[in-house]
């Protein structure tokens, strides 16, 4: 089978599986049914454009978050997550996930750690709507991929996020009618 490591059944996959297993830097604020949804903090507690550089966004990261495998959420994990989606040398890179995330990450020039709970993202061109990309980019545990020989196929069978639910098992048999 072709294991991809993230839900890929359109937005229903995001809604029912993705947001259950994974967290994102920024979340949709769905607290009101009678107004347009906006964004709110997720794994990033706040974000802003650097006043001296309109292509630099600074994100403060939530402290005290652990992935389901016990790995800590921090700036190293955040930087690695964007690298896995854009750098083919990253052990978690897959062309499929690159293609899925490309519309959300194509303006990222680089991501760097400022301190343990702060990162900077540099865009290729100024983009006022840049944060609206991040409710669609899942953060996964880097610790799993630090194990020798671990692949995205392994991850897909046992996904490790920091969301409210942990996947214990699933049945991958195809249903034939």
């Amino acid at each position: 089978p072709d294991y991809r490591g993230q839900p890929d059944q359109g937005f229903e996959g995001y809604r029912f599986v993705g947001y259950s297993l994974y967290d994102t830097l920024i979340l949709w604020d769905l607290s009101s049914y009678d107004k347009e949804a906006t964004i709110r903090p997720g794994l990033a507690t706040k974000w802003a454009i650097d006043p001296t550089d309109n292509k630099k966004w600074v994100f403060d990261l939530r402290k005290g978050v652990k992935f389901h495998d016990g790995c800590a959420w921090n700036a190293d994990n955040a930087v690695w997550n964007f690298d896995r989606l854009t750098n083919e040398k990253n052990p978690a890179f897959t062309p499929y996930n690159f293609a899925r995330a490309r519309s959300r990450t194509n303006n990222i020039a680089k991501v760097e750690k400022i301190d343990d709970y702060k990162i900077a993202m540099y865009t290729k061109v100024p983009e006022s709507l840049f944060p609206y990309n991040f409710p669609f980019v899942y953060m996964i545990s880097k610790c799993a991929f630090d194990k020798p020989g671990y692949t995205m196929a392994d991850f897909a069978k046992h996904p490790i996020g920091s969301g409210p639910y942990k996947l214990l098992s699933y049945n991958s048999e195809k249903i034939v009618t």
Side-chain angles (χ1 to χ4, degrees):
D2 185 9
Y3 296 108
R4 299 189 169 151
Q6 69 182 39
D8 61 359
Q9 287 74 42
F11 283 101
E12 295 307 308
Y14 271 84
R15 184 172 142 195
F16 293 114
V17 177
Y19 295 134
S20 294
L21 300 178
Y22 307 104
D23 286 316
T24 57
L25 285 182
I26 298 171
L27 300 167
W28 289 112
D29 183 353
L30 303 174
S31 62
S32 177
Y33 65 89
D34 60 348
K35 67 177 185 171
E36 183 177 345
T38 186
I39 52 177
R40 67 176 177 84
L43 289 173
T45 57
K46 66 180 183 173
W47 53 91
I49 296 173
D50 183 315
T52 64
D53 183 349
N54 66 0
K55 293 191 281 182
K56 179 182 179 183
W57 287 81
V58 177
F59 293 80
D60 288 357
L61 304 179
R62 188 170 306 284
K63 295 177 181 174
V65 175
K66 298 265 188 206
F67 287 93
H68 300 149
D69 63 357
C71 188
W73 163 251
N74 55 34
D76 292 324
N77 214 305
V79 170
W80 178 86
N81 264 280
F82 286 97
D83 188 63
R84 77 175 171 89
L85 294 170
T86 59
N87 177 4
E88 65 187 37
K89 293 182 181 4
N90 186 299
F93 177 88
T94 65
Y96 182 84
N97 289 334
F98 167 80
R100 290 274 183 181
R102 196 66 189 141
S103 66
R104 309 293 179 188
T105 60
N106 65 353
N107 193 24
I108 297 174
K110 70 177 178 175
V111 181
E112 67 183 15
K113 175 182 176 178
I114 295 173
D115 66 32
D116 286 345
Y117 290 97
K118 188 176 285 196
I119 62 170
M121 282 195 215
Y122 295 84
T123 59
K124 295 173 186 171
V125 297
E127 182 181 351
S128 62
L129 298 175
F130 189 60
Y132 284 86
N133 290 313
F134 299 116
F136 303 101
V137 180
Y138 300 131
M139 298 292 113
I140 67 174
S141 176
K142 175 186 180 300
C143 293
F145 290 92
D146 287 342
K147 298 173 190 167
Y150 197 87
T151 67
M152 185 53 80
D154 297 318
F155 179 84
K157 294 175 194 173
H158 306 284
I160 302 168
S162 62
Y165 296 97
K166 183 178 186 180
L167 183 70
L168 298 179
S169 68
Y170 68 96
N171 184 345
S172 63
E173 293 179 29
K174 293 185 179 185
I175 298 172
V176 180
T177 58

